Amino acid sequence: MVTRIGSDVLLMNYVHVAHDSIIGDHCILANSTQIAGHCVLEEWVRAMGVVGVHQNCRIGTHAMLAAGSKVAQDVPPYAVVSGDRARLIGVHEELLKRRNFPPETVRELKNAYRTLFYSKLTREDAIKQVLAEQSDSAEVRQVVEFIANSKRGVVGRERG
């Protein structure tokens, strides 16, 4: 394998992208972001600075890693994560609005995230429910497929 950086990517000061990692198109990695080996950052990912990503992690399209986050598990598409051992904050609404996603798509993603991460259902049952209710949404299917195919596990939600 080889390290690949997509087009229209901004790597700010002191960013490190280790061996065999893939950075998708239109990503922004702010100062002192450290990407370990064998990571995949899909398109439109935002890492807000002093972020560490553990090896073999996958970061889904349009995800945002808040400043100072330490990412040890996969981050699903359209998510915002934050903290030491990054936890899910919610859907990255601002970027979706800036990229002209329809409001209905944003609502569908928020509903799917609510079921997948904040309900008391098992992950398997939550996936079934989301697919039963919102299988028409390509973005929701993308999130479900990402979660189902995760090898490291997916970040959890904040407790509280």
Side-chain angles (χ1 to χ4, degrees):
M1 205 163 159
V2 66
T3 300
R4 286 183 291 182
I5 309 289
S7 48
D8 195 29
V9 171
L10 175 59
L11 303 177
M12 294 184 187
N13 289 329
Y14 311 111
V15 168
H16 175 76
V17 178
H19 60 91
D20 305 319
S21 289
I22 299 169
I23 309 297
D25 297 339
H26 312 290
C27 291
I28 297 174
L29 306 182
N31 297 333
S32 299
T33 293
Q34 308 293 299
I35 307 297
H38 304 280
C39 289
V40 175
L41 279 67
E42 296 177 356
E43 293 184 340
W44 296 97
V45 170
R46 303 292 188 253
M48 304 314 290
V50 195
V51 170
V53 179
H54 193 281
Q55 69 184 25
N56 297 305
C57 282
R58 185 171 161 217
I59 313 298
T61 187
H62 293 90
M64 183 177 93
L65 315 175
S69 295
K70 296 177 185 173
V71 180
Q73 291 182 295
D74 294 346
V75 176
Y78 314 106
V80 176
V81 298
S82 180
D84 184 354
R85 297 298 179 244
R87 309 309 283 165
L88 178 72
I89 302 300
V91 173
H92 192 186
E93 291 181 69
E94 188 58 37
L95 179 60
L96 298 180
K97 288 177 187 174
R98 289 180 189 171
R99 300 249 13 267
N100 297 316
F101 276 70
E104 179 62 26
T105 300
V106 176
R107 271 193 303 279
E108 290 169 346
L109 285 166
K110 288 174 73 172
N111 289 337
Y113 269 77
R114 194 172 298 116
T115 301
L116 290 166
F117 292 97
Y118 293 92
S119 71
K120 294 186 179 187
L121 298 172
T122 64
R123 185 61 50 90
E124 186 177 303
D125 288 341
I127 287 173
K128 287 178 187 174
Q129 182 174 325
V130 166
L131 288 175
E133 294 173 355
Q134 301 182 60
S135 63
D136 292 343
S137 170
E139 291 82 5
V140 169
R141 283 194 315 274
Q142 183 180 23
V143 170
V144 168
E145 289 170 15
F146 184 98
I147 292 169
N149 294 322
S150 174
K151 292 183 174 86
R152 288 194 59 81
V154 177
V155 296
R157 65 180 177 89
E158 282 190 313
R159 301 288 177 215

